[in-house]
Amino acid sequence: MATKNTKRPSMQKPIALALQGGGMHGAFAWGVLDRLLEDGRLEIEGVSATSAGAMNAAVLAYGLLKGDSENARQALHNFWRAVSQSAESYNPFRQMPWLKGAHSFGLDHSPLYLLADIVLRILSPYQFNPHNKNPLREILEQQVDFAALRRHCPIHLYLCATNVETGKIRIFSGQDMSIEVVLASACLPTLFQAVEINGEHYWDGGYVGNPAIFPLIYNCSTHDVVIVHINPIVRPGVPTTAADILNRINEVSFNSSLMREMRAIAFVTTLIQQGKLDRGEMKEVLIHSIRSDQTMAALGVSSKYNAEWDFLCFLRDKGRTEAEAWLKENYHHIGQRSSIDIDKEFL
């Protein structure tokens, strides 16, 4: 973990964060959060998150509840370390005789993760994991006091899940917050059984909101939304293998809801700037983006299951580097204007 920064400015600029999901690639967002918290010049008013982003968001909120930004940084570090340690002892695929003996070498091309990717295309979690064991449940129980978050969450927290039967988005917040909600938001249907909450069943929120921006627009006073991307928007070249084709389909589908929201935001922003809408009645949203498409596009799809500590730290450090560059280039834009060209990036 990075060294503690004791400098704290007298005035912080408020922002809202939108955290994407992407399996173990969520460690990239951990690095982004770690650097933003260390910097200390930004006040996080709200977070909307999905899947791995929901994990980061819940741990972040509880860390802030326990103390200050340093508590939040430590909480995130502890969570991802626990994920890595749990993966060393638990993997449903290791229980299969024909996968025993597979081991990892390198950050991305472990035979175990490649074979697991194949298995997930053949068997459902109701078959290979009939008892519905999920090590993330135990980790979250140890790392986050959800009862405390329900009593007093220090930030606006919105976690997204997909209703399996209706296909509609569900935003959980406030008194709804629980382990089940986080697990629902991160429930990849090829890996985990659907999560039941009050008689409704949910899958990963990435299918309908990765992440959802509208809760931040409606409920946060800040105009600035910083999107932390996990899934590459741009991936040069046409995929030709079955695995690469399916991976790109997932990336496009998981980015599609965000693209639609960006189109709506761009439309309203143009009307406001042209004076066709009253600024007193409509909110102009300032969009910022932290991402590394180059890093994420270079990783194979199987690495989303890779919880080895070296790999997670590699992604964390990439996230810290991107956040550092973003702060240097765009901090002065916060509260003033969007630091990206929405039309160019999303439309």
Side-chain angles (χ1 to χ4, degrees), residues 134-150:
N134 189 337
L136 291 173
R137 177 183 297 278
E138 182 177 347
I139 294 171
L140 288 168
E141 287 175 346
Q142 295 172 349
Q143 302 289 329
V144 180
D145 184 343
F146 284 93
L149 281 183
R150 288 193 295 271

Side-chain angles (χ1 to χ4, degrees), residues 90-151:
Y90 173 85
N91 192 314
F93 306 109
R94 293 189 190 276
Q95 301 170 13
M96 300 178 183
W98 47 281
L99 279 182
K100 286 183 178 179
H103 62 280
S104 169
F105 42 84
L107 294 179
D108 185 32
H109 301 290
S110 161
L112 179 61
Y113 302 122
L114 293 174
L115 287 170
D117 187 49
I118 295 173
V119 171
L120 293 178
R121 303 173 197 275
I122 301 173
L123 301 177
S124 85
Y126 297 87
Q127 295 170 311
F128 68 75
N129 186 14
H131 299 294
N132 200 23
K133 293 181 180 179
N134 189 337
L136 291 173
R137 177 183 297 278
E138 182 177 347
I139 294 171
L140 288 168
E141 287 175 346
Q142 295 172 349
Q143 302 289 329
V144 180
D145 184 343
F146 284 93
L149 281 183
R150 288 193 295 271
R151 288 193 299 271

Side-chain angles (χ1 to χ4, degrees), residues 7 27 71 78 118 122 190 193 200 225 241-242 276 285-286 293 304:
K7 295 181 180 179
N71 291 91
N78 294 345
I118 295 173
I122 301 173
T190 57
Q193 297 181 24
E200 302 285 343
V225 176
T241 68
K276 296 179 180 179
V285 182
L286 308 179
D293 281 5
K304 292 181 179 180

Side-chain angles (χ1 to χ4, degrees), residues 49-265:
T50 294
S51 198
M55 303 277 180
N56 279 323
V59 174
L60 167 69
Y62 185 57
L64 292 173
L65 178 62
K66 289 173 60 180
D68 56 12
S69 60
E70 296 304 326
N71 291 91
R73 294 180 66 204
Q74 188 63 53
L76 286 163
H77 177 276
N78 294 345
F79 170 77
W80 284 99
R81 190 70 180 103
V83 168
S84 179
Q85 291 171 338
S86 176
E88 293 175 2
S89 59
Y90 173 85
N91 192 314
F93 306 109
R94 293 189 190 276
Q95 301 170 13
M96 300 178 183
W98 47 281
L99 279 182
K100 286 183 178 179
H103 62 280
S104 169
F105 42 84
L107 294 179
D108 185 32
H109 301 290
S110 161
L112 179 61
Y113 302 122
L114 293 174
L115 287 170
D117 187 49
I118 295 173
V119 171
L120 293 178
R121 303 173 197 275
I122 301 173
L123 301 177
S124 85
Y126 297 87
Q127 295 170 311
F128 68 75
N129 186 14
H131 299 294
N132 200 23
K133 293 181 180 179
N134 189 337
L136 291 173
R137 177 183 297 278
E138 182 177 347
I139 294 171
L140 288 168
E141 287 175 346
Q142 295 172 349
Q143 302 289 329
V144 180
D145 184 343
F146 284 93
L149 281 183
R150 288 193 295 271
R151 288 193 299 271
H152 180 67
C153 187
I155 59 177
H156 295 290
L157 184 60
Y158 306 100
L159 305 185
C160 173
T162 303
N163 187 298
V164 177
E165 295 182 85
T166 67
K168 294 180 179 179
I169 189 172
R170 171 70 188 273
I171 302 297
F172 293 94
S173 63
Q175 293 301 307
D176 293 328
M177 207 55 58
S178 67
I179 289 178
E180 298 299 326
V181 165
V182 179
L183 293 178
S185 182
C187 180
L188 285 172
T190 57
L191 193 58
F192 300 111
Q193 297 181 24
V195 177
E196 182 179 354
I197 301 175
N198 296 328
E200 302 285 343
H201 291 82
Y202 296 93
W203 280 343
D204 193 293
Y207 296 107
V208 288
N210 194 25
I213 306 298
F214 68 87
L216 303 175
I217 298 174
Y218 297 159
N219 300 300
C220 292
S221 59
T222 180
H223 291 249
D224 294 89
V225 176
V226 180
I227 304 171
V228 181
H229 297 264
I230 301 296
N231 300 293
I233 293 178
V234 177
R235 182 182 285 274
V238 177
T240 56
T241 68
D244 289 342
I245 290 170
L246 287 173
N247 183 46
R248 188 53 182 159
I249 289 173
N250 285 334
E251 288 175 347
V252 171
S253 62
F254 270 48
N255 279 325
S256 62
S257 59
L258 178 63
M259 304 284 269
R260 288 194 297 271
E261 281 200 276
M262 288 299 104
R263 181 176 294 277
I265 289 171

Side-chain angles (χ1 to χ4, degrees), residues 295-314:
T295 296
M296 295 305 175
L299 299 174
V301 61
S302 62
S303 66
K304 292 181 179 180
Y305 311 125
N306 188 349
E308 295 173 5
W309 184 239
D310 287 346
F311 181 59
L312 298 181
C313 289
F314 162 78

